[in-house]
Short mmCIF file of all heavy atoms in Angstrom, two decimals:
data_model
loop_
_atom_site.label_atom_id
_atom_site.label_comp_id
_atom_site.label_asym_id
_atom_site.label_seq_id
_atom_site.Cartn_x
_atom_site.Cartn_y
_atom_site.Cartn_z
N ILE A 73 115.74 101.29 118.68
CA ILE A 73 114.92 100.27 119.23
C ILE A 73 113.98 99.73 118.14
O ILE A 73 113.82 98.53 117.98
CB ILE A 73 114.18 100.73 120.50
CG1 ILE A 73 115.09 101.07 121.59
CG2 ILE A 73 113.12 99.76 120.84
CD1 ILE A 73 114.45 101.66 122.83
N THR A 74 113.44 100.68 117.35
CA THR A 74 112.48 100.29 116.31
C THR A 74 113.17 99.39 115.33
O THR A 74 112.61 98.38 114.86
CB THR A 74 111.94 101.55 115.60
OG1 THR A 74 111.23 102.25 116.59
CG2 THR A 74 111.09 101.16 114.39
N LYS A 75 114.42 99.68 114.93
CA LYS A 75 115.10 98.86 113.92
C LYS A 75 115.29 97.46 114.47
O LYS A 75 115.29 96.50 113.81
CB LYS A 75 116.43 99.52 113.52
CG LYS A 75 117.19 98.85 112.45
CD LYS A 75 118.33 99.69 111.90
CE LYS A 75 118.80 99.01 110.68
NZ LYS A 75 119.72 99.90 110.02
N ILE A 76 115.73 97.43 115.79
CA ILE A 76 115.91 96.10 116.43
C ILE A 76 114.59 95.28 116.40
O ILE A 76 114.63 94.04 116.05
CB ILE A 76 116.46 96.23 117.87
CG1 ILE A 76 117.95 96.72 117.87
CG2 ILE A 76 116.35 94.92 118.64
CD1 ILE A 76 118.45 97.14 119.20
N MET A 77 113.52 95.91 116.70
CA MET A 77 112.23 95.16 116.71
C MET A 77 111.80 94.79 115.35
O MET A 77 111.31 93.62 115.18
CB MET A 77 111.21 96.09 117.36
CG MET A 77 111.39 96.44 118.82
SD MET A 77 111.43 94.92 119.86
CE MET A 77 111.92 95.61 121.40
N VAL A 78 112.03 95.55 114.36
CA VAL A 78 111.70 95.20 112.98
C VAL A 78 112.53 93.99 112.54
O VAL A 78 112.02 93.07 112.08
CB VAL A 78 111.94 96.34 111.98
CG1 VAL A 78 111.86 95.89 110.51
CG2 VAL A 78 110.87 97.44 112.23
N ASN A 79 113.78 94.07 112.86
CA ASN A 79 114.69 92.89 112.55
C ASN A 79 114.24 91.66 113.27
O ASN A 79 114.27 90.64 112.68
CB ASN A 79 116.15 93.28 112.84
CG ASN A 79 116.75 94.19 111.80
OD1 ASN A 79 116.30 94.19 110.64
ND2 ASN A 79 117.69 95.05 112.23
N GLU A 80 113.95 91.71 114.50
CA GLU A 80 113.52 90.61 115.30
C GLU A 80 112.20 90.00 114.69
O GLU A 80 112.03 88.82 114.58
CB GLU A 80 113.28 90.88 116.78
CG GLU A 80 114.59 91.10 117.52
CD GLU A 80 115.45 89.93 117.54
OE1 GLU A 80 114.96 88.75 117.72
OE2 GLU A 80 116.69 90.10 117.26
N SER A 81 111.26 90.89 114.28
CA SER A 81 110.02 90.52 113.67
C SER A 81 110.33 89.78 112.39
O SER A 81 109.73 88.64 112.08
CB SER A 81 109.09 91.60 113.44
OG SER A 81 108.71 92.30 114.69
N LEU A 82 111.19 90.28 111.54
CA LEU A 82 111.53 89.62 110.27
C LEU A 82 112.30 88.29 110.51
O LEU A 82 111.94 87.35 109.77
CB LEU A 82 112.43 90.54 109.39
CG LEU A 82 111.75 91.86 108.94
CD1 LEU A 82 112.72 92.73 108.28
CD2 LEU A 82 110.49 91.58 108.09
N MET A 83 113.14 88.25 111.50
CA MET A 83 113.76 87.01 111.79
C MET A 83 112.80 85.96 112.26
O MET A 83 112.84 84.77 111.88
CB MET A 83 114.89 87.18 112.83
CG MET A 83 116.12 87.79 112.36
SD MET A 83 117.61 87.74 113.34
CE MET A 83 117.08 88.35 114.95
N TYR A 84 111.79 86.37 113.05
CA TYR A 84 110.73 85.42 113.45
C TYR A 84 109.97 84.88 112.25
O TYR A 84 109.65 83.76 112.20
CB TYR A 84 109.84 86.09 114.49
CG TYR A 84 108.81 85.16 115.11
CD1 TYR A 84 109.17 84.49 116.31
CD2 TYR A 84 107.61 84.87 114.53
CE1 TYR A 84 108.29 83.58 116.82
CE2 TYR A 84 106.71 84.01 115.10
CZ TYR A 84 107.02 83.33 116.27
OH TYR A 84 106.20 82.43 116.77
#
Side-chain angles (χ1 to χ4, degrees):
I73 293 174
T74 297
K75 188 168 187 167
I76 289 172
M77 295 299 172
V78 167
N79 285 331
E80 288 301 315
S81 296
L82 294 176
M83 285 195 307
Y84 188 90

